[in-house]
Amino acid sequence: RVRLVESGGGSVQAGGSLRLSCAVSGDSDARSVVGWFRQPPGKAREAVAVLSRADGPAYCADSLKARFTISQDNAGNTIYLRLMNLEPEDDGVYYCAARAFGRSCSGDDFNIWGQGTQVTVSS
């Protein structure tokens, strides 16, 4: 089965950067689309960016596009999310998720999820 494991979260001061990693394994046909989502404390989950093997990346929030970058290694087995110029409002649990096909910014379209990694930004 497809597995996704996030890492790279932690505590950082405002203005700092982190690179989150999503290690993916299992049936590649079931994970041709991988997205990054986040959930601030007490708030709903929101999409950050999605990477499709066929269609490339898409950014799901214009306000984050300048600071967050989605990418992958050459084999497509690790999906990265680089977070730059972090703000306290970026606090939350960051998740990666996968689906077989169809680039989408809706978390409801993704059926496979990782455990999440915590990002904490101090001012």
Side-chain angles (χ1 to χ4, degrees):
R1 65 182 178 96
V2 173
R3 298 174 185 264
L4 303 95
V5 180
E6 301 95 331
S7 62
S11 298
V12 63
Q13 292 195 23
S17 299
L18 289 171
R19 188 177 72 167
L20 309 182
S21 297
C22 175
V24 298
S25 61
D27 184 2
S28 63
D29 289 337
R31 55 177 175 89
S32 67
V33 180
V34 178
W36 278 101
F37 302 80
R38 70 180 186 180
Q39 187 164 22
K43 297 182 180 180
R45 181 185 63 205
E46 61 180 339
V48 176
V50 179
L51 193 152
S52 166
R53 189 179 300 151
D55 299 326
Y59 291 88
C60 301
D62 288 341
S63 61
L64 301 179
K65 186 175 182 179
R67 299 191 297 115
F68 291 8
T69 302
I70 191 169
S71 62
Q72 65 179 19
D73 66 357
N74 289 335
N77 293 327
T78 304
I79 314 301
Y80 302 102
L81 184 69
R82 184 173 297 279
L83 317 177
M84 296 170 285
N85 194 23
L86 284 160
E87 305 169 349
E89 292 75 17
D90 296 320
D91 279 1
V93 180
Y94 285 69
Y95 299 92
C96 59
R99 67 184 311 212
F101 63 91
R103 194 172 65 186
S104 173
C105 287
S106 174
D108 291 340
D109 290 335
F110 291 77
N111 60 308
I112 307 168
W113 291 80
Q115 83 289 350
T117 185
Q118 176 71 46
V119 172
T120 302
V121 184
S122 63
S123 58

